[in-house]
Amino acid sequence: MKIQGKEETIIAIATPPGVGAISVIRLSGPQSFEAVDTVFSGKIKIKDAKSHTIHYGNLTQGVAIVDDVLVSVFRAPNSYTAEDCVEISSHGSPLIIQQIISLIIENTDVRQAEPGEFTKRAFLNGKIDLTQAEAVADLISSRTLVSLRGARNQLDGLLSSKVLSLRTKLIEVSAFVELELDFAEEDIKFVNRTELVDKINYILSEIEALLESFSFGKIVREGINVALVGEPNVGKSSILNYLLKESRAIVSSTPGTTRDIIREEISIDGFLFRLHDTAGIRSSEEEVEKEGVERSKELIKKADLLAFIGDVHIGFSDQLYDELHKLNPSVKILKVLNKTDLGVDRQYSENFRISAKTGDGIPQFLNGLKMEVIQEGIYSERTAIVSNVRHYDCLTKAKENLTRALEALSENISGEFLASDLRASEISLAEIIGEVTPEEILFNIFSKFCIGK
Ligand SMILES: Nc1nc2c(ncn2[C@@H]2O[C@H](COP(=O)(O)OP(=O)(O)O)[C@@H](O)[C@H]2O)c(=O)[nH]1
Ligand SMILES: [Mg+2]
């Protein structure tokens, strides 16, 4: 029988699938060295190699050489997972990789790793906390410099250390309250109430500051959704097509059913903007169009910013403006007047004047989008920013319980309630860094990773 759980040794390709100069296969677990030795022949056996050394040799199947490789050795606990780890650098051929992995799996008890399993082990073995594990996924999927920096900060523990320090303060407060409970009979007060309230208020304000960073953090991590809305023929599709042709900052574009692109991702000074073309929001009887209307409404509701496109002939209809406002009352609506090349000299209430034909005004428009985001942000290079919904939810729970604790204090409710509110709040903070995190949440987090990470 195979050994269960994290005692198992796992293997996976760590580099992207496909052809390349080299590929890296990673193993982690107690049998990593022996497993590689079953197929490796070099100057020494891998099981005798020192940690952090590299060894050249052949991987063989019988007498046939599968590939000549470099094997890097990392002994526990000084590895990514804190377990014995090996990285095999082979030639970057999918066929070679396939052979090496099959060969090792067939000849040993090593099994294929699950998605995120290496990082999960790093977390379970205490190498990194949960926010850092999550940051690993964010780091490798970042597509702009700003989101990369956000993930880097989180991986460096900026958020963890902030949360940890709040948790420590909370534990101190709880300790006093619980001490008092132990002496409830004698009616001893160890801390005076105002001091207690001050301490809780301080923690609460720090939690609120973190919560406030979320709208910006979400933007950093996920980008800004901008819906282009307006009457038919004002030039929404032309604007996206212009960006596709002209912008040097295109991250990706998604084509729709026609030649038109329906989504364009661009990076403006490191911020990711996702510009969506909307079909229109007028009611229609036609099935296909109806669906388009629904899709547009959804986009408008979810948008972080609305670019209301008008043209020099029709400007901006108040009716449409009101409809937009009704669909998404909290969102900022920027009025963008298109077709300024037509020489029609009319002023509306526009924020930007552009031409999708000549490109006039487009840089100013894009810069305007960026300024909307920067105003939003309490942006600085090295601050803890909450960018992850899970963290946000935990902080919200912590805040609710602290607020209840303050109510309990002001109403002189029994110390037991106070203690339990404080404790609940502290557990929510612990959940962020993964100290008391249910298995299903862990599964959720790590199953989203790619294999080999
Ligand atoms: N002169 C001029 N024509 C434009 C401009 N933008 C779009 N158009 C034209 O306006 C028409 C409608 O454009 P389209 O992008 O399909 O509008 P949409 O329905 O809002 O997506 C097309 O014939 C475009 O060539 C512009 O800036 N200047
Ligand atoms: Mg269009």
Side-chain angles (χ1 to χ4, degrees):
M1 211 184 83
K2 284 186 184 183
I3 310 158
Q4 285 302 306
K6 64 176 188 166
E7 292 303 312
E8 286 180 328
T9 298
I10 52 174
I11 187 169
I13 178 169
T15 41
V19 174
I22 54 170
S23 284
V24 174
I25 295 167
R26 176 143 75 172
L27 289 95
S28 181
Q31 288 153 46
S32 297
F33 305 146
E34 283 85 353
V36 173
D37 278 331
T38 61
V39 290
F40 178 79
S41 54
K43 277 198 183 135
I44 60 165
K45 289 205 165 299
I46 297 303
K47 76 170 164 47
D48 300 324
K50 284 201 183 110
S51 188
H52 294 75
T53 55
I54 300 175
H55 306 273
Y56 176 75
N58 289 326
L59 295 188
T60 53
Q61 179 170 30
V63 287
I65 294 173
V66 176
D67 197 9
D68 55 328
V69 297
L70 287 175
V71 176
S72 312
V73 176
F74 307 91
R75 290 193 176 268
N78 298 314
S79 73
Y80 182 66
T81 58
E83 302 171 341
D84 283 345
C85 276
V86 174
E87 285 178 12
I88 303 171
S89 305
S90 71
H91 289 97
S93 138
L95 265 178
I96 292 176
I97 298 298
Q98 192 48 50
Q99 279 187 80
I100 296 175
I101 292 180
S102 308
L103 205 56
I104 293 179
I105 288 180
E106 278 160 24
N107 287 303
T108 64
D109 281 345
V110 174
R111 67 162 169 80
Q112 177 76 45
E114 287 158 22
E117 198 169 2
F118 291 93
T119 308
K120 187 176 185 179
R121 288 184 179 200
F123 163 68
L124 292 174
N125 294 330
K127 268 267 157 175
I128 51 175
D129 70 31
L130 201 50
T131 68
Q132 291 171 312
E134 290 168 312
V136 170
D138 288 348
L139 189 77
I140 55 186
S141 64
S142 288
R143 278 172 302 163
T144 67
L145 288 175
V146 173
S147 63
L148 187 60
R149 199 181 302 132
R152 182 72 248 170
N153 284 347
Q154 191 172 316
L155 185 55
D156 290 347
L158 250 68
L159 181 65
S160 328
S161 57
K162 181 83 218 176
V163 171
L164 211 57
S165 94
L166 291 176
R167 185 179 174 218
T168 309
K169 291 198 170 75
L170 203 48
I171 290 174
E172 275 168 32
V173 174
S174 295
F176 278 121
V177 172
E178 276 167 29
L179 196 61
E180 276 185 16
L181 280 179
D182 291 343
F183 290 87
E185 310 275 278
E186 285 103 275
D187 198 27
I188 301 176
K189 295 265 184 281
F190 288 91
V191 266
N192 77 41
R193 298 290 107 167
T194 23
E195 206 176 306
L196 204 56
V197 169
D198 283 351
K199 284 198 160 119
I200 295 176
N201 264 326
Y202 171 78
I203 299 168
L204 192 60
S205 69
E206 293 286 298
I207 289 178
E208 278 167 347
L210 282 175
L211 283 169
E212 272 163 28
S213 75
F214 181 62
S215 59
F216 185 70
K218 194 164 157 276
I219 281 170
V220 164
R221 180 165 177 260
E222 295 168 18
I224 304 103
N225 284 307
V226 184
L228 300 185
V229 287
E231 312 281 350
N233 287 319
V234 292
K236 300 179 293 296
S237 305
S238 303
I239 294 170
L240 285 184
N241 281 309
Y242 177 86
L243 291 174
L244 177 64
K245 275 200 306 266
E246 295 297 319
S247 175
R248 282 173 202 91
I250 296 284
V251 179
S252 82
S253 24
T254 312
T257 44
T258 65
R259 278 183 315 127
D260 286 340
I261 41 169
I262 55 169
R263 192 173 93 176
E264 186 81 309
E265 292 188 351
I266 58 176
S267 158
I268 311 175
D269 290 347
F271 289 95
L272 181 70
F273 285 82
R274 217 171 282 116
L275 306 178
H276 302 265
D277 193 355
T278 63
I281 54 171
R282 290 297 148 83
S283 53
S284 164
E285 288 308 307
E286 230 211 291
E287 251 345 283
V288 184
E289 252 184 79
K290 252 192 202 163
E291 210 180 297
V293 171
E294 275 317 301
R295 197 184 70 93
S296 300
K297 284 188 174 167
E298 279 316 299
L299 283 173
I300 290 164
K301 283 182 199 162
K302 276 193 257 160
D304 304 302
L305 259 180
L306 293 183
F308 183 8
I309 316 291
D311 72 14
V312 290
H313 296 300
I314 62 168
F316 308 92
S317 102
D318 288 340
Q319 193 199 344
L320 184 50
Y321 189 94
D322 292 343
E323 271 177 70
L324 296 177
H325 183 67
K326 223 179 279 165
L327 280 169
N328 192 341
S330 63
V331 83
K332 175 99 178 243
I333 304 176
L334 294 175
K335 289 184 181 170
V336 182
L337 192 73
N338 189 31
K339 308 193 191 178
T340 52
D341 58 283
L342 289 179
V344 180
D345 196 18
R346 225 176 283 163
Q347 290 278 333
Y348 300 89
S349 51
E350 72 269 9
N351 303 98
F352 299 98
R353 298 173 67 83
I354 64 168
S355 165
K357 192 173 173 191
T358 65
D360 276 349
I362 299 258
Q364 288 82 347
F365 167 51
L366 295 182
N367 191 55
L369 291 178
K370 189 190 85 182
M371 292 319 285
E372 289 302 322
V373 176
I374 298 218
Q375 276 172 19
E376 173 100 16
I378 21 74
Y379 177 59
S380 126
E381 304 233 331
R382 296 292 279 178
T383 44
I385 286 176
V386 177
S387 63
N388 176 310
V389 182
R390 191 185 71 79
H391 305 163
Y392 183 81
D393 289 345
C394 290
L395 286 165
T396 306
K397 266 189 262 161
K399 177 187 162 172
E400 284 165 5
N401 282 303
L402 276 191
T403 311
R404 212 162 344 175
L406 282 175
E407 279 163 19
L409 268 171
S410 73
E411 289 163 20
N412 249 326
I413 293 174
S414 139
E416 267 148 57
F417 289 107
L418 178 60
S420 100
D421 290 336
L422 292 174
R423 171 93 188 118
S425 185
E426 185 244 310
I427 287 176
S428 296
L429 293 183
E431 236 179 78
I432 297 177
I433 35 190
E435 300 223 336
V436 284
T437 309
E439 180 58 36
E440 77 240 42
I441 292 183
L442 294 184
F443 176 80
N444 244 325
I445 291 170
F446 290 105
S447 61
K448 293 196 189 91
F449 276 67
C450 48
I451 300 256
K453 194 62 228 177

